[in-house]
Amino acid sequence: MRTATRTRTRARTATPTPTRPARAWPLLALPASALQLFPPPALGSYSAAREDAQRAAVGVGTFPALPPGDPVDLSVAAFGSRAVYDSGRSLQGRTVRLTGFVTHGAGGTWYVTRLLVSCCAADATTNKVRVRSADAPATDTWVTVTGIWHPTGKPGSAAAGPPVLDATTVRQVEEPSDPYEKR
């Protein structure tokens, strides 16, 4: 007899009420509509400053030679990888040109920064290069910095990062149509 009572109770509670899902749809559609009407701004210096942990070294090795001619246009991520992990020192003595937005650090240091995405802004990681020998523009200003790599430590060590660039020129530029670097 107990089994029959349990079965009837389960059957009554397992049947969904048809009006409950119909009431939930407007609540689910509201946030989606808000995102379409008011898209969030692009990530910037605030997002870059929130990333406290340094990424671990994926390995030290020799990178391919850079193309001939100076300055060499590099992404901030490519410059950072070469500066920190290239045991062949392919950046040594080369003039490079990087474009990114300005972020500030402790003690008056400043960085040219880019956010690197694999899929979308939600998975963005920060890449930044410390800039020396030039006055710091305002935070979030987009700049193109030309300069020479300043080695700071043994490749792959914590002392090798963040990479440093001795600037020869800093020029303010417009924000690119796609402000993110891609993997």
Side-chain angles (χ1 to χ4, degrees), residues 49-77:
R50 306 308 305 161
E51 188 173 295
D52 296 333
Q54 286 277 357
R55 281 167 286 172
V58 265
V60 175
T62 304
F63 283 58
L66 291 170
D70 281 338
V72 176
D73 287 312
L74 290 176
S75 68
V76 173

Side-chain angles (χ1 to χ4, degrees), residues 92-108:
Q92 190 74 45
R94 298 295 305 270
T95 302
V96 298
R97 186 170 34 221
L98 311 174
T99 298
F101 59 91
V102 174
T103 56
H104 292 270

